[in-house]
Amino acid sequence: MRTTLLAAALAAVLPCIAWQGAACAQPAPAAHSQQTAGTVSRPPRISDGVIRLGFLLDMSGLYADVTGPGSAAAARMAVEDVGGKVLGAPVEVVVADHQNKPDIAAATARAWFDTGGVDAILDVAASATALAAVDIAKAKNKVIVFNGPGAVRLTNEACSPVSVHWAYDTYALAKSTAQATVTAGGDSWFFVTADYAFGQDLERDASAVVKANGGKVLGSVRAPLNTADFSSFLLQAQGSGAKVVGLANAGADTTNAIKQAAEFGLTGGGQTLAGLLVYISDVHGLGLKATQGMLLTEGFYWDLNDETRAWSKRYFARVGKMPNMSQAGVYSTVMHYLKAVERAGTDETQAVMAAMREMPVDDFYARGGRIREDGRMIHDMYLFRVKTPDESKGPWDLYTLVATIPGEQAFQPLSASRCPLVKK
């Protein structure tokens, strides 16, 4: 009795990291059954009677606009669309702001799994924080899925039996955008790279594509994450004489670099900017005058077809902007996970992961998608050209589809995988 009371008291005072009114998830009390003669005790199908889904997002920093509250809203939409319950158990969404700090991401993931009753983490914004969280999920044997981060090492060196990379990765971005740019004549590159895992992976993958297509990489420079001043980095790019300045960054870093490149006259001097990860919110915020003609790669666009339009308009009514590929990916992830729980009849990790791999991903986000043994969700990617102001018919009418890249061609082939789970 003393042990039970002490455990309950500790659970009550443990800190809970939540955001914008998200419920502070505490584990439900253990179920106690009184057995009578001839009665067989059966373990509950849902571990503590509640399915808790965790989201480690950037709610206040440079990636807040491309993940943050928008991703949390997409997750809650999915839960509402299944009626708030699966197998009779309520589904809860728990959100935390990791502040783009790997140590906070790791500590939060550990607390959620150890004492918070979280069954799965279904997004971790940014690559460095994702790489920290995936180690915790692997150690705790809990499902973890990524929509916000792009580092391809998540399905290579950092792959695990419990992790899935859903929306995009640096390989897919580099292959599509860089190849199209080189083919169009941009055969010499200089990179301005965010100095952390995602930027490094993106530069490496894009450089390989440039060289494989007969181009040259004249140099690169590493910029600190969330820097406000790109002047010295852009001056080096300008001085390189490269035809293309590849921006291997994301979020506010990308938009700041594009704005300052225009101020420096970089594009006016004949150089072309290649945004290797540009979200629709970036283009909308910068405006078509600054971004027209830019080639970019996405895994989703709200105006692709009737299904994407219908869901995106629902999202817009709630959030006030159109979703990007990571935010739409969160909705797709939550739906797939909950369908897997229902199919497996439990929230036990191995059973759910087996169901997730068995079932195709077939929704407005991806048709005929599948999860490979390295954790990569294979689906089509899209190459877009940003419209001119004259071509656009509304505030979010921003892209013209240039090409659809089949998933098997878009993502790294298993033959090149560095994931130890892949048998060659």
Side-chain angles (χ1 to χ4, degrees):
M1 177 66 76
R2 291 192 186 94
T3 302
T4 301
L5 291 173
L6 178 59
L10 286 172
V13 299
L14 280 169
C16 175
I17 306 172
W19 184 263
Q20 291 188 341
C24 191
Q26 297 291 347
H32 297 280
S33 61
Q34 295 182 348
Q35 284 186 252
T36 58
T39 301
V40 178
S41 176
R42 297 181 184 277
R45 293 182 296 172
I46 302 303
S47 54
D48 62 354
V50 179
I51 301 170
R52 292 188 182 86
L53 310 178
F55 296 84
L56 279 165
L57 304 172
D58 179 356
M59 302 297 287
S60 55
L62 76 163
Y63 300 135
D65 194 43
V66 297
T67 62
S71 291
R76 294 187 176 109
M77 284 177 66
V79 171
E80 291 168 12
D81 285 350
V82 300
K85 291 185 177 182
V86 172
L87 299 175
V91 182
E92 295 181 0
V93 171
V94 185
V95 180
D97 185 355
H98 59 42
Q99 302 174 44
N100 287 306
K101 296 179 179 178
D103 57 337
I104 292 179
T108 305
R110 184 179 290 107
W112 277 356
F113 291 146
D114 284 349
T115 62
V118 170
D119 297 292
I121 293 176
L122 298 187
D123 198 15
V124 185
S127 294
T129 43
L131 289 164
V134 73
D135 287 340
I136 304 301
K138 184 178 180 181
K140 302 297 180 181
N141 189 35
K142 294 288 188 178
V143 174
I144 189 165
V145 185
F146 305 110
N147 282 285
V152 75
R153 69 185 73 177
L154 287 165
T155 51
N156 280 292
E157 297 86 355
C159 74
S160 83
V162 296
S163 61
V164 181
H165 204 172
W166 202 266
Y168 72 99
D169 61 31
T170 54
Y171 183 97
L173 296 177
K175 183 172 183 181
S176 179
T177 304
Q179 184 169 316
T181 303
V182 174
T183 301
D187 56 4
S188 61
W189 287 59
F190 184 95
F191 289 94
V192 176
T193 301
D195 194 13
Y196 78 114
F198 165 75
Q200 295 159 14
D201 280 7
L202 189 50
E203 179 191 329
R204 182 198 63 210
D205 293 338
S207 295
V209 172
V210 170
K211 293 173 184 176
N213 285 272
K216 297 179 180 180
V217 176
L218 304 184
S220 67
V221 63
R222 299 285 172 85
L225 186 66
N226 204 22
T227 184
D229 185 5
F230 280 87
S231 57
S232 64
F233 312 120
L234 292 171
L235 284 172
Q236 290 181 60
Q238 198 171 37
S240 72
K243 294 179 183 178
V244 180
V245 178
L247 300 178
N249 50 21
D253 281 346
T254 299
T255 55
N256 284 336
I258 292 173
K259 288 176 184 176
Q260 291 175 38
E263 293 169 2
F264 275 89
L266 189 146
T267 51
Q271 289 178 299
T272 299
L273 287 178
L276 294 170
L277 175 55
V278 178
Y279 283 107
I280 189 171
S281 51
D282 300 329
V283 175
H284 182 265
L286 289 164
L288 293 179
K289 186 176 180 181
T291 56
Q292 59 184 313
M294 182 181 289
L295 292 172
L296 54 89
T297 302
E298 293 249 29
F300 171 85
Y301 178 46
W302 73 270
D303 201 20
L304 275 176
N305 54 53
D306 289 343
E307 287 183 292
T308 58
R309 284 187 285 272
W311 183 82
S312 297
K313 287 175 181 177
R314 289 178 53 213
Y315 178 93
F316 184 89
R318 178 179 295 223
V319 179
K321 63 178 182 178
M322 286 300 179
N324 60 40
M325 62 178 167
S326 292
Q327 292 159 342
V330 165
Y331 179 95
S332 177
T333 293
V334 173
M335 294 297 284
H336 194 74
Y337 176 83
L338 294 177
K339 288 177 184 177
V341 170
E342 186 171 41
R343 180 182 179 123
T346 179
D347 61 358
E348 191 274 326
T349 296
Q350 270 66 45
V352 173
M353 281 299 304
M356 289 179 71
R357 293 177 187 277
E358 289 168 4
M359 297 187 304
V361 181
D362 204 21
D363 56 19
F364 71 86
Y365 187 83
R367 287 294 174 198
R370 64 182 180 88
I371 299 172
R372 288 192 318 202
E373 53 264 50
D374 60 349
R376 175 69 257 169
M377 199 277 274
I378 300 298
H379 60 92
D380 292 349
M381 296 291 287
Y382 305 96
L383 178 68
F384 295 105
R385 177 182 60 78
V386 178
K387 290 184 175 182
T388 66
D390 290 339
E391 291 174 322
S392 177
K393 298 177 181 178
W396 293 93
D397 179 26
L398 303 175
Y399 296 166
T400 296
L401 180 63
V402 176
T404 298
I405 303 96
E408 297 294 343
Q409 298 175 24
F411 294 100
Q412 176 182 275
L414 283 178
S415 60
S417 175
R418 303 183 296 280
C419 171
L421 300 176
V422 175
K423 297 178 181 178
K424 297 183 180 180

